[in-house]
Amino acid sequence: GLPMPKITLCENIEIMKEKRVMESTMVHELVHAYDTCRAKLDFKNCLHHACTEIRAANLSGECAWKMEFDRGNYDFKRQQEKCIKRRAALS
């Protein structure tokens, strides 16, 4: 049969101690899992990969104002949009 899908979180232990960071990382990965099942994602296809990264950055909470402020990225104008573009590109 097929291998069981799984999510493994590997992160700097000091960073992962914060509950909200762990939660946003898990939600980010769950968005990828959902997209893979729903849309038959092909991660070798750049458009598929970009789409799921944008969705994950937007839905995970990793672009919440508090998280961005803690990273030193704060702006009142289009902060969410800028963060999503930056975080998706980093992935």
Side-chain angles (χ1 to χ4, degrees):
L2 295 173
M4 289 295 293
K6 62 183 174 180
I7 294 174
T8 304
L9 295 180
C10 298
E11 189 74 52
N12 179 315
I13 193 71
E14 290 303 313
I15 293 170
M16 199 56 88
K17 279 183 183 177
E18 283 196 55
K19 184 180 177 198
R20 65 188 167 92
V21 174
M22 188 209 44
E23 287 173 348
S24 70
T25 302
M26 178 62 85
V27 171
H28 181 107
E29 296 308 323
L30 287 170
V31 169
H32 292 320
Y34 177 82
D35 286 350
T36 299
C37 292
R38 178 190 59 85
K40 308 284 191 265
L41 278 186
D42 174 8
F43 277 92
K44 294 177 185 169
N45 180 320
C46 290
L47 291 176
H48 287 199
H49 200 159
C51 182
T52 193
E53 290 299 345
I54 290 167
R55 282 178 37 77
N58 191 35
L59 297 172
S60 67
E62 66 190 79
C63 287
W65 202 88
K66 171 80 169 102
M67 295 198 49
E68 278 292 271
F69 184 83
D70 290 349
R71 290 184 194 112
N73 300 316
Y74 37 89
D75 193 358
F76 291 103
K77 192 173 183 181
R78 303 177 86 168
Q79 180 269 331
Q80 177 84 3
E81 179 183 339
K82 291 175 186 176
C83 175
I84 291 167
K85 286 179 181 180
R86 189 181 67 258
R87 302 292 295 175
L90 287 171
S91 291

